[in-house]
Amino acid sequence: NANLYYAADSAAVATGKHIFTTQNIERFEISATGIDVTGTATMGGLTVDVGGITQLGNLARIGNNSAIADLTLNSSDSSVGTINFADASDSNVGRIQYNHANNTMILRAADATRVLVSSTGIDVTGNVSLPDNGKATFGAGDDLQIFHDGSNSYIIDNGTGSLFIRG
């Protein structure tokens, strides 16, 4: 049966452990060092199982018992979801933020917006670095290419129109 049993016996008194069982399997143990749970524990919106934290109220899902871990953040008002990356000395080292109201994704580093992704495109603050032979390409068929091969720099125009360079 699925009833939970507890027996206060001399072993529990001697070890200081209190063990609860169901179906002859230890499920819950209380000792001087804490609480051990076998199986899934759900406590007021927090669910922890072998895959890690699976539910924390309406906030997070970390792990899903598969080879790929995922993290889903849901804000209570569906407006802004934020992941902050910080250490003990700096509370705002980095941030990923999605704003549902205007459908923008912001990546911040050193407390400044570095990349903004919106329905109109991508805005970058700072430099975009590409390795040698890394190309910036434009057009549906990579019509315009700009790159550096380690020795020389290239602007290649394979498009159907003209290439205008204005000063």
Side-chain angles (χ1 to χ4, degrees):
N1 64 40
N3 294 326
L4 186 66
Y5 294 99
Y6 171 72
D9 57 17
S10 60
V13 174
T15 63
K17 293 181 180 180
H18 301 280
I19 299 171
F20 297 82
T21 61
T22 182
Q23 297 176 336
N24 294 322
I25 299 171
E26 293 181 2
R27 298 291 184 184
F28 186 77
E29 175 185 297
I30 302 172
S31 69
T33 60
I35 299 172
D36 290 325
V37 177
T38 301
T40 299
T42 302
M43 302 150 283
L46 169 66
T47 301
V48 181
D49 64 15
V50 296
I53 298 172
T54 57
Q55 184 74 26
L56 179 56
N58 194 26
L59 298 177
R61 175 184 172 149
I62 303 172
N64 62 357
N65 296 331
S66 72
I68 300 172
D70 64 4
L71 171 62
T72 304
L73 299 178
N74 298 312
S75 62
S76 59
D77 63 2
S78 297
S79 61
V80 177
T82 303
I83 302 171
N84 290 308
F85 301 91
D87 56 34
S89 64
D90 188 348
S91 63
N92 194 14
V93 173
R95 175 183 298 161
I96 300 172
Q97 185 175 66
Y98 184 77
N99 185 321
H100 296 274
N102 60 13
N103 292 317
T104 59
M105 175 75 69
I106 297 171
L107 304 176
R108 293 176 63 88
D111 203 23
T113 297
R114 302 298 178 190
V115 178
L116 171 72
V117 181
S118 69
S119 62
T120 60
I122 299 173
D123 294 329
V124 177
T125 301
N127 295 329
V128 175
S129 297
L130 299 173
D132 287 342
N133 295 308
K135 295 180 180 181
T137 61
F138 305 89
D142 295 340
D143 298 340
L144 178 64
Q145 301 175 17
I146 302 173
F147 66 97
H148 180 78
D149 68 5
S151 299
N152 301 296
S153 298
Y154 299 87
I155 298 175
I156 298 174
D157 179 17
N158 291 323
T160 57
S162 299
L163 173 64
F164 296 100
I165 298 176
R166 296 186 180 172

